[in-house]
Amino acid sequence: MSEEVCDKCGSAMVVKNGRNGKFLACSGYPKCKNTKTLNQETKYSEVPCPECGGKLLWRQSRRGAFWGCEHYPKCKFISKFEPSDKKCEIEGCGGALAPRTYRNKEVYECVKCKDRTPREESGE
Ligand SMILES: [Zn+2]
Ligand SMILES: [Zn+2]
Ligand SMILES: [Zn+2]
């Protein structure tokens, strides 16, 4: 149980574990399917900031959500996609590669130069 109250039906909200971390769900489930995000908890990336090694935080802004560095505004690293520990192989770039889907293909996109390379599927 949490302190939060469902704003749809007034029941108490309970903390649940989901795929993207903890969230609040209405205890009136399945009658009420209201859920809330736990805003006290910051989502951190498993990969450190490619620019300074700090932590990457999932931030929400009016223009959308993105990965930003904890040392902002000192470090201005920003990426819409969570970077991996792989580095861009283009000379002089060395930016972090972020796995993403582009035109229905699995690719790595460099957060710096936006170069895309196909992702090799492991296994299968
Ligand atoms: Zn409810
Ligand atoms: Zn940084
Ligand atoms: Zn690059």
Side-chain angles (χ1 to χ4, degrees), residues 67-99:
W67 290 99
C69 180
E70 62 169 341
H71 297 304
Y72 180 87
K74 247 193 189 173
C75 171
K76 297 210 167 44
F77 178 83
I78 269 180
S79 174
K80 266 187 136 178
F81 308 99
E82 185 175 16
S84 68
D85 48 13
K86 290 194 167 39
K87 292 272 181 287
C88 177
E89 279 166 20
I90 289 173
E91 241 186 282
C93 178
L97 295 180

Side-chain angles (χ1 to χ4, degrees), residues 3 6 8 18 21-22 28 31-32 36-38 45 49 81 86 100 102 121-122:
E3 305 280 281
C6 175
K8 286 198 179 147
K22 285 182 180 163
K31 263 192 185 170
C32 173
K36 272 188 198 176
T37 45
L38 267 177
S45 168
C49 171
F81 308 99
K86 290 194 167 39
R100 63 165 291 200
Y102 179 75
E121 286 303 321
S122 54

Side-chain angles (χ1 to χ4, degrees), residues 1 11 14-15 20 23 28 68 70 77 84 88 93 98 103-104 108:
M1 291 282 169
S11 305
V14 286
V15 182
N20 298 316
F23 67 99
E70 62 169 341
F77 178 83
S84 68
C88 177
C93 178
R103 292 185 176 165
N104 294 321
Y108 276 119

Side-chain angles (χ1 to χ4, degrees), residues 12-123:
M13 302 290 281
V14 286
V15 182
K16 299 234 171 164
N17 277 306
R19 279 178 66 197
N20 298 316
K22 285 182 180 163
F23 67 99
L24 290 170
C26 179
S27 59
Y29 184 87
K31 263 192 185 170
C32 173
K33 292 189 174 67
N34 192 23
T35 56
K36 272 188 198 176
T37 45
L38 267 177
N39 40 17
Q40 301 95 312
E41 279 188 47
T42 315
K43 194 169 137 197
Y44 289 105
S45 168
E46 285 169 25
V47 178
C49 171
E51 301 279 316
C52 72
K55 279 181 182 153
L56 286 182
L57 282 68
W58 183 241
R59 295 180 180 220
Q60 314 272 350
S61 76
R62 254 176 264 163
R63 297 162 115 197
F66 59 91
W67 290 99
C69 180
E70 62 169 341
H71 297 304
Y72 180 87
K74 247 193 189 173
C75 171
K76 297 210 167 44
F77 178 83
I78 269 180
S79 174
K80 266 187 136 178
F81 308 99
E82 185 175 16
S84 68
D85 48 13
K86 290 194 167 39
K87 292 272 181 287
C88 177
E89 279 166 20
I90 289 173
E91 241 186 282
C93 178
L97 295 180
R100 63 165 291 200
T101 311
Y102 179 75
R103 292 185 176 165
N104 294 321
K105 286 207 175 77
E106 306 278 288
V107 296
Y108 276 119
E109 186 177 280
C110 175
V111 300
K112 265 194 180 170
C113 68
K114 307 289 177 207
D115 180 63
R116 294 185 200 99
T117 42
R119 242 191 297 167
E120 316 265 317
E121 286 303 321
S122 54

